Amino acid sequence: MINLLLFSLVVGIIAAMIITPLTSTTKEGHPAFNRIGALSATVAAVTVLTFILYYVTNLDRNWTSVWALALIATLAGAVLSTGRERSAKVILFLAALAGSAFILSAPLFNANEKYKAVEMDQQVEIKAFDETKTPASVPPKFARNKMKKAFGQVPNTSYYELGNLQIQKVDGKFVYIAPVEFSGFFKWINGKTTPGYFTMSATDSADNPKFVKTEMSYTPSSFFHKQVERHMRMAMPDLIFYGDVQLEIDDEGKPHYIRSYGHFITARNGFDVQGIVMVDPASGEVSQYPLSKVPAFIDGAVSPEAVSLQNSYFGKYVHGFWNSIVGKKDVKLPSDEGTESNVSPVFDENGHMYYFTDFTSPKEGVDSMLGYALTDGRTGEATYYTGNLEESYMDSQGALQIIEKKFIEKKWTGEMPVLYNFYGEASWLTPVLDSNGFLQNYFIVSAANPEISVFANSPNEALRLYKTALQRGGSTVDGSSNAEEGKASVNVVRVYKERAGDFTIVSILADDGRNYIVSTEAVPLSIYIQEGDHLAITYYETGELFLPVKELKNATIE
């Protein structure tokens, strides 16, 4: 607070020196000009207005932030002064005008700098998803609905409401977190602190929300000096923040509010993230970390708003500003189907969080995907995947339209479409919700072959059905699994063969009581398998009903 008072006072003094005439003369018949009184009054007025402006808006206190005030003050000074003083203040006004023009016109000439700041490494395709894992696929709308129904666990329920929902990894598990927030000013006056937060599994739709009690004083819904954004600004007056504050939970269950900071790319335009500011919501303790030293428990050091902004720079400014307006050569638009500020958080097999975004053409009526990006949630480094250039991939909007048509009678819709590499096939996984926001099933559709699609009650069941659908459609199935390999020497009890395009799927019931499945694409001689044959099998222990075969030797005929 003292810092803001001093800043406002300095601005008030400088503005008063510029606005108030210092060399004016008093004409005959007019009262004497009280220069000291005018200076004092101007200092007081500008100081109060500056304090209110910066306190209410939480604006950074860099000298460039006063450009509008400088323009107004120099103009007023030039108008009110006379003689040589006017000439000097006209020069000040022209300098302020030039500075204002530079700041306002920055978007016209810094497009190349924006693109270079976010330029992405480019690859063809993400690696195949490990089918033994469960993707974090519970949609946030469904999780939020369940948390609202569990809100009775909160003490003094009428004081509070559910805050923003976000996904993160806590103690090795993927969960949704939502803080309990004040529902208004008078509720804050009475309650003083919020009682805690909700947590719910992001992989198991049957999980019930749990309320974790932990009092928090500095929150987004608090007021005055207890509002966490203002508390950050008072502690770090010069930092450039971008994006909303987010609640991050450490592995012991302790909450922390964080917010991304960075620097302007040119003048006061553009943003490049550099680190985070973290606040203990109980004590108000403030810490600052560059991205390279962010605590390990924080998944989203780079705010989703910053990632969305970076995606827009990468898509729009590949050939500069004017090309993004006229011509639009190689321009691509990031999707707005994400769950957090147009991006969707996803996790890899190591539990590391990325923000997913797909890009489409700026041409209306086109639902073909031009590529997709994954941005590291801790470092902000991004990779752009072009996909197989020989195939045309459907974008996320196209996947949602297929779901809408598939369940048009039930009026079900998709939410949170994310592109995965399932068995070597670029595929959209999308939870399907009914009109009340309840989860009904999981839908998987091939991005390159939309006619190949399945749905099931769980992601893993949908994956099993999808593997079969791909085989029947003639697609090459290249799984990626961390499952251990197993070996078996068995006799064939029953065998079933099903034609799938140019190949045949062979299902085997062995005398060890297990079922195996193999394609003649992988093992051509498996077409000759008959009941009674003795097989030496190398397979993946995936836990599925039909275990996928890696290698097979038929000792009966070989």
Side-chain angles (χ1 to χ4, degrees):
M1 188 68 73
I2 298 299
N3 182 284
L4 178 55
L5 285 170
L6 291 175
F7 176 82
S8 302
L9 182 60
V10 170
V11 171
I13 292 172
I14 295 174
M17 296 288 290
I18 295 173
I19 296 172
T20 306
L22 301 178
T23 60
S24 60
T25 58
T26 303
K27 295 182 180 180
E28 188 176 349
H30 291 271
F33 177 63
N34 187 348
R35 188 172 294 109
I36 300 300
L39 276 170
S40 300
T42 305
V43 168
V46 175
T47 299
V48 170
L49 290 174
T50 302
F51 181 89
I52 293 173
L53 173 66
Y54 280 79
Y55 185 81
V56 171
T57 64
N58 282 327
L59 191 65
D60 64 273
R61 295 169 211 162
N62 293 281
W63 66 270
T64 55
S65 66
V66 299
W67 66 271
L69 177 59
L71 185 64
I72 296 171
T74 53
L75 176 60
V79 171
L80 296 175
S81 59
T82 59
R84 292 183 178 179
E85 183 182 354
R86 169 173 286 183
S87 299
K89 291 184 176 179
V90 166
I91 293 175
L92 287 177
F93 169 70
L94 293 176
L97 184 63
S100 301
F102 175 72
I103 290 174
L104 293 175
S105 63
L108 301 179
F109 59 80
N110 69 355
N112 291 332
E113 285 77 9
K114 289 177 179 177
Y115 182 79
K116 289 178 182 177
V118 302
E119 195 168 6
M120 302 180 185
D121 179 36
Q122 297 201 19
Q123 297 183 18
V124 177
E125 202 78 82
I126 54 176
K127 65 179 182 179
F129 181 79
D130 178 8
E131 63 265 31
T132 65
K133 306 294 184 182
T134 300
S137 50
V138 174
K141 184 177 180 180
F142 172 70
R144 189 173 183 83
N145 283 345
K146 293 192 75 171
M147 288 181 181
K148 284 183 176 180
K149 294 184 181 302
F151 210 73
Q153 301 176 41
V154 179
N156 297 318
T157 306
S158 62
Y159 285 7
Y160 308 107
E161 62 187 12
L162 195 64
N164 292 331
L165 191 76
Q166 63 192 64
I167 190 173
Q168 56 193 258
K169 184 182 68 173
V170 179
D171 197 21
K173 299 178 181 178
F174 303 137
V175 296
Y176 280 109
I177 299 293
V180 174
E181 299 284 0
F182 293 108
S183 58
F185 176 74
F186 293 105
K187 303 299 174 62
W188 172 72
I189 292 291
N190 293 326
K192 295 182 176 59
T193 61
T194 57
Y197 61 88
F198 278 95
T199 178
M200 175 182 162
S201 172
T203 58
D204 182 8
S205 60
D207 186 41
N208 290 317
K210 299 177 181 63
F211 176 67
V212 180
K213 292 183 179 181
T214 175
E215 289 193 354
M216 295 184 280
S217 297
Y218 297 86
T219 72
S221 59
S222 299
F223 289 83
F224 304 126
H225 62 289
K226 293 288 188 176
Q227 186 188 40
V228 68
E229 295 96 329
R230 181 169 292 113
H231 186 67
M232 287 180 177
R233 172 57 67 204
M234 293 300 178
M236 306 289 177
D238 299 328
L239 290 186
I240 310 301
F241 293 111
Y242 194 87
D244 296 331
V245 294
Q246 299 184 92
L247 188 67
E248 289 273 352
I249 308 299
D250 64 24
D251 290 343
E252 285 71 45
K254 181 177 176 57
H256 305 266
Y257 274 109
I258 68 167
R259 195 178 188 189
S260 299
Y261 75 86
H263 61 78
F264 295 119
I265 291 178
T266 305
R268 291 185 62 81
N269 183 258
F271 180 79
D272 189 22
V273 65
Q274 291 181 306
I276 66 163
V277 170
M278 183 169 70
V279 172
D280 183 328
S283 67
E285 180 183 354
V286 181
S287 305
Q288 180 180 352
Y289 300 94
L291 289 179
S292 59
K293 296 182 179 180
V294 168
F297 71 86
I298 293 177
D299 297 307
V302 182
S303 68
E305 293 87 354
V307 174
S308 185
L309 187 67
Q310 291 175 1
N311 287 334
S312 69
Y313 292 164
F314 179 76
K316 289 173 60 178
Y317 299 137
V318 59
H319 297 306
F321 175 79
W322 294 111
N323 179 71
S324 69
I325 304 299
V326 181
K328 300 185 178 181
K329 179 183 177 183
D330 296 328
V331 168
K332 41 193 173 287
L333 300 180
S335 167
D336 59 358
E337 299 297 339
T339 59
E340 295 183 21
S341 299
N342 298 331
V343 297
S344 294
V346 296
F347 291 85
D348 65 11
E349 65 274 13
N350 298 317
H352 197 91
M353 193 180 83
Y354 294 83
Y355 292 105
F356 169 82
T357 312
D358 65 303
F359 291 78
T360 189
S361 170
K363 186 175 181 180
E364 293 185 5
V366 177
D367 62 0
S368 178
M369 185 177 68
L370 300 180
Y372 55 99
L374 289 176
T375 304
D376 192 310
R378 287 177 56 85
T379 68
E381 296 179 358
T383 302
Y384 180 75
Y385 297 89
T386 62
N388 188 339
L389 297 178
E390 296 180 357
E391 297 180 331
S392 178
Y393 285 177
M394 171 180 59
D395 64 10
S396 57
Q397 187 61 42
L400 293 176
Q401 290 173 355
I402 287 178
I403 293 173
E404 185 177 356
K405 293 176 181 177
K406 182 78 173 180
F407 304 105
I408 189 170
E409 293 182 358
K410 297 181 178 180
K411 297 182 180 180
W412 292 354
T413 57
E415 181 181 314
M416 197 178 76
V418 176
L419 192 74
Y420 288 90
N421 181 345
F422 290 144
Y423 312 112
E425 185 88 1
S427 313
W428 289 104
L429 170 63
T430 309
V432 179
L433 306 180
D434 62 20
S435 58
N436 294 316
F438 291 104
L439 181 64
Q440 295 299 322
N441 60 51
Y442 292 90
F443 191 90
I444 303 179
V445 59
S446 168
N449 303 291
E451 66 276 5
I452 301 177
S453 65
V454 299
F455 59 90
N457 292 329
S458 71
N460 295 100
E461 179 61 26
L463 276 173
R464 285 190 281 270
L465 295 176
Y466 189 60
K467 178 190 287 187
T468 303
L470 287 173
Q471 292 170 332
R472 288 174 177 170
S475 297
T476 301
V477 178
D478 298 322
S480 175
S481 176
N482 291 331
E484 295 183 358
E485 290 185 9
K487 294 183 181 294
S489 180
V490 299
N491 293 315
V492 178
V493 177
R494 293 284 189 273
V495 63
Y496 177 76
K497 301 173 183 177
E498 181 182 11
R499 188 70 177 176
D502 296 329
F503 304 98
T504 299
I505 304 301
V506 181
S507 302
I508 302 163
L509 172 61
D511 59 357
D512 63 357
R514 291 185 289 186
N515 300 281
Y516 302 91
I517 187 169
V518 62
S519 170
T520 56
E521 180 183 16
V523 185
L525 295 183
S526 63
I527 189 68
Y528 298 121
I529 293 176
Q530 295 181 357
E531 294 176 9
D533 286 351
H534 185 76
L535 308 178
I537 296 176
T538 301
Y539 63 94
Y540 290 112
E541 192 64 73
T542 62
E544 298 174 285
L545 179 61
F546 286 86
L547 301 174
V549 172
K550 179 182 179 182
E551 297 175 356
L552 182 150
K553 183 176 182 180
N554 191 336
T556 303
I557 63 175
E558 295 182 33

